[in-house]
Amino acid sequence: MSASEIEPAAPAESAAAANAHPSSANPAAVDADRRLHPMSWLFVLIQQLRQFIVPLLALLFFGRGDRNELWSLIGVGVLVLVSLWRYFTYRYGIGGDSVVVRSGLLNRSLRVIPFVRIQNVALHQNVLHRLFGVAEVRLESAGSKEAEAHMRVLKLDDALALESLVRRRGAGAAETVEERADILLRLSTAEVLRLGLVSNGGLVLVGAGLAALSQMVPDVNGRIPERVLRQGLRWVSGHVDVHHFDTAGYALLAIGVIGATAVALKTLSIMLALLRYHGFELSEQGRRLTAERGLLGRWRTTVPRRRIQAWTLEEGLMHRLLGRRRLAVDTVGADEGDEGRALKDLAPIATPATCDALVEHLLPRAHWDRLQWRALPGATWWRLFLPDVPWTVLATFALHWHVGAWGLLALLWLPWTAFKARRRAQRIGYAYSEDLIAVREGWWHRYWRFAELDKLQALQIKRSPIDRRCGTATLWLDTAGAGTLAPPLRIRFLPEADARRIYDTLAATLSKRPLRW
């Protein structure tokens, strides 16, 4: 096994791949064996040692923590030897129609990866990569969340050459004329700053950091929060007593603290947006899309357009205030845990006109701007209002039990919930044509979700007890690559007759068309 961390194929799989592509598996038909960058063992070693960073910091700053977690540092020397062993026993070559990977010394393995199977080439550079002029490369295939090959690391020129080779030979041709790359979208620094304003990256980062710290440092769950809270309250109480605040003063102080916290979190979100999306550029070359981004570290992801399964347009309240939207996509085999692997954002932030132009350019047959949207009956608003009623009643009862009559003020949440449900019901709609199915929902946070009919994998009609009572149904539409955080592709509260009519129409259309990846 090499320092590239390439998962070895099973013997049967390797033999089958070699038989399917004899010219590629034959050493005579493959270019001279190549190695990774001479310093690749160092990057593998650093990756292995990252798990020790948090215990070391906890021991350094808090003087506590579980020292048993550091005993494994004795194996650092062993890791160095293993990393060097992997480097010297790793080879890869380029055949006429595939990439051939050889690894191992005592237990040797051969992996043949046809170019036509490679759907995505992801390049990643952190600061250390850029200093050495290297890049981490992933070769991915459709229908799999594991990389076909994960190379740590290649020279940057070799990584770019491999990406170009996959793009040119991915269609199965031995040689293809290199096409010019067209820039579809480029974000300025001002746009990236706006992206930081509309995102909640700072809040997510702080929450994740506190969760990780609570797991690694025992005192975070015990004495540290109590001590910090006690000292903080004592400090605040001392300063407040000096100024003799009245009720209005306390209210202003609370507003000031909340405002300062919000400003700090937004500042952190802006910094994260600059680190992740500085220099964002979306380009098109032939039938492939390439996105490149990052300030200190750089991510470069190339994916065929046919791999895109579903599309999402989103806009929150801050988006609307700034006149912006987000255009995201689902791709086959995307892994939500590694944001650098998959192409998820075609436009992290852009004007509505720019987003619509991108959709029209990449889906010309869909006629996005000419879709006929159908609204649901206005009486469906109570279906959105109903789930909030029992929770509001329970909260009111609990508050009344603890604070008395003042707890009944929680019932004022019901008029707001009813108003919100009415506005959401007015926004729900759907549209479909010969090539596209689309849904829209949301009021405070709006989204449009759509997919080509050829990309649908399953249709399903679901009816809850309330649906059966009201004569309605929900039509679920399934595509490959849908993320757990992506809005669902569904049409809710449809009259049963309409749901079955749309189901029959879509089913008849899908039966005449092959599924496209």
Side-chain angles (χ1 to χ4, degrees), residues 45-275:
L45 179 62
I46 292 174
Q47 186 70 21
Q48 297 282 349
L49 295 178
R50 287 175 60 182
Q51 57 185 315
F52 303 115
I53 292 178
V54 174
L56 283 172
L57 292 178
L59 182 62
L60 178 63
F61 290 103
F62 298 102
R64 297 184 60 85
D66 189 359
R67 288 175 171 80
N68 292 327
E69 297 177 359
L70 303 178
W71 281 106
S72 52
L73 285 175
I74 298 175
V76 170
V78 177
L79 291 177
V80 172
L81 294 177
V82 171
S83 299
L84 289 171
W85 180 277
R86 289 177 174 178
Y87 167 72
F88 284 112
T89 59
Y90 171 86
R91 297 291 187 276
Y92 77 97
I94 306 297
D97 58 0
S98 61
V99 178
V100 180
V101 175
R102 295 179 175 88
S103 60
L105 182 61
L106 301 178
N107 184 18
R108 298 181 181 180
S109 67
L110 170 68
R111 189 176 185 88
V112 180
I113 310 171
F115 286 118
V116 294
R117 185 178 175 183
I118 300 173
Q119 297 292 319
N120 182 30
V121 181
L123 276 65
H124 172 230
Q125 286 184 293
N126 58 29
V127 177
L128 192 60
H129 287 116
R130 299 178 74 177
L131 288 176
F132 281 91
V134 297
E136 181 180 327
V137 181
R138 287 178 182 265
L139 304 179
E140 301 173 344
S141 64
S144 174
K145 293 191 175 183
E146 293 295 329
E148 291 287 338
H150 186 187
M151 301 180 180
R152 296 193 190 99
V153 286
L154 295 179
K155 293 179 181 179
L156 181 58
D157 292 341
D158 292 343
L160 294 175
L162 181 58
E163 178 194 56
S164 177
L165 191 64
V166 170
R167 181 170 58 245
R168 288 187 286 112
R169 298 188 184 180
E175 294 291 341
T176 305
V177 177
E178 189 76 11
E179 300 183 34
R180 181 176 60 89
D182 296 323
I183 305 300
L184 301 182
L185 178 66
R186 182 181 287 120
L187 294 186
S188 64
T189 303
E191 287 295 313
V192 177
L193 293 177
R194 292 187 182 95
L195 177 60
L197 287 175
V198 303
S199 67
N200 294 315
L203 181 61
V204 173
L205 181 62
V206 170
L210 292 176
L213 195 61
S214 65
Q215 295 295 322
M216 301 303 300
V217 184
D219 273 352
V220 170
N221 288 322
R223 291 185 292 273
I224 288 181
E226 180 182 350
R227 187 161 56 245
V228 170
L229 182 60
R230 185 166 55 248
Q231 293 294 336
L233 290 176
R234 186 179 302 169
W235 181 86
V236 171
S237 177
H239 283 72
V240 168
D241 290 341
V242 171
H243 295 86
H244 303 288
F245 287 151
D246 55 8
T247 303
Y250 281 113
L252 291 176
L253 178 62
I255 293 174
V257 170
I258 294 173
T261 303
V263 169
L265 291 176
K266 280 300 177 183
T267 302
L268 183 56
S269 296
I270 292 173
M271 294 172 60
L272 290 175
L274 285 171
L275 289 175

Side-chain angles (χ1 to χ4, degrees), residues 330-347:
D330 297 335
T331 54
V332 176
D335 186 359
E336 295 184 356
D338 190 344
E339 64 173 313
R341 286 183 54 181
L343 179 59
K344 297 180 181 179
D345 288 325
L346 296 187

